[in-house]
Amino acid sequence: NRYWDTNETPRPEAYKEDLEIAEQATESAEKIYRHIRAAAESGWDFSSRWFKDGQNMATIHTTDIIPVDLNCLMLNLEKTLFRAFLLLEDNYSAKKFYNAAKTREKAIKKYCYSVEIGFYFDYDFIEQKHTESYSLAAVFPLFFEIANKFQASNVAKTLKDNFLKEGGLITTTHSSGQQWDAPNGWAPLQYLAYEGLKRYGFDNL
């Protein structure tokens, strides 16, 4: 799954700003408006995570991205519905969500984990490659226990080396001036990282 918005128009709350961004972009204004709206839908509004060049809002391409955190949340929902249908003794629906969860878990591992780098990234399905943004979205596979121990160990090392600062974890390793980037930290992400690390035995970190 990806973030999406059905409207191809500027946001009412930021009409002038969106017009200015679209004027600077190489893509059509309609596409840019949809990318901006989708990023706002994500809650990470805004972050270099959604920018092709990691710096400029005019390069936003949110709807091209398969976000690792969103898909971990969807996987958890599918697992929850599986258990709920088991309680209702609705085996047909339970099997449907069991299979959906298994398929999604395999896809997260295949498309969002970089074996070469040892970290979870979003996946650009247009370019068919990982995005280059190091972000705390990578802690979601630990929180929901999707990662194996080796993957969790790699993520923990990257968090310690590149994200951990006095007072907590930065949201991304990139300083773009956006609020969901370095040097800012956000409480929900601190909680997810803390719990995710504990679940794999990284108590000291």
Side-chain angles (χ1 to χ4, degrees):
N1 287 84
R2 58 178 170 159
Y3 290 110
W4 184 256
D5 194 288
T6 55
N7 291 325
E8 294 181 333
T9 57
R11 294 167 296 157
E13 71 275 17
Y15 193 88
K16 180 175 179 287
E17 292 89 339
D18 288 0
L19 287 177
E20 291 172 354
I21 292 163
E23 284 177 5
Q24 299 167 23
T26 55
E27 282 201 280
S28 70
E30 290 77 17
K31 282 187 177 181
I32 292 298
Y33 299 145
R34 192 189 297 281
H35 290 319
I36 292 171
R37 285 172 169 271
E41 177 71 19
S42 77
W44 288 55
D45 49 338
F46 288 96
S47 171
S48 60
R49 181 183 178 191
W50 312 125
F51 305 163
K52 280 186 180 179
D53 70 355
Q55 192 67 36
N56 298 300
M57 187 91 158
T59 67
I60 194 166
H61 66 132
T62 317
T63 66
D64 298 343
I65 293 171
I66 295 172
V68 59
D69 49 352
L70 172 63
N71 281 280
C72 289
L73 290 165
M74 295 295 291
L75 173 61
N76 184 60
L77 178 59
E78 288 162 346
K79 287 181 174 179
T80 302
L81 289 169
F82 160 68
R83 292 191 295 270
F85 282 117
L86 279 183
L87 291 172
L88 293 171
E89 298 182 356
D90 182 346
N91 292 330
Y92 173 81
S93 296
K95 184 178 180 182
K96 174 185 170 184
F97 283 103
Y98 175 85
N99 291 335
K102 285 294 179 185
T103 300
R104 190 184 298 273
E105 186 167 350
K106 287 179 183 176
I108 291 170
K109 290 176 177 177
K110 178 179 178 180
Y111 292 106
C112 295
Y113 183 77
S114 169
V115 175
E116 294 78 16
I117 297 174
F119 200 68
Y120 285 93
F121 294 92
D122 298 325
Y123 187 79
D124 183 333
F125 72 92
I126 302 297
E127 298 287 340
Q128 296 190 353
K129 64 178 184 180
H130 294 121
T131 66
E132 296 178 2
S133 176
Y134 284 78
S135 80
L136 282 189
V139 304
F140 281 69
L142 276 64
F143 182 84
F144 291 113
E145 299 181 81
I146 298 164
N148 61 38
K149 289 185 178 180
F150 178 72
Q151 292 166 340
S153 179
N154 286 335
V155 170
K157 184 179 186 309
T158 300
L159 293 179
K160 184 178 181 181
D161 293 346
N162 300 315
F163 286 82
L164 187 60
K165 308 293 179 185
E166 185 178 355
L169 298 164
I170 53 176
T171 306
T172 71
T173 58
H174 190 66
S175 297
S176 68
Q178 300 295 336
Q179 64 176 351
W180 285 80
D181 278 320
N184 296 334
W186 290 84
L189 297 176
Q190 309 301 312
Y191 169 74
L192 288 160
Y194 170 79
E195 288 291 341
L197 290 165
K198 279 188 67 178
R199 286 168 195 184
Y200 287 87
F202 298 102
D203 293 342
N204 289 338
L205 181 57

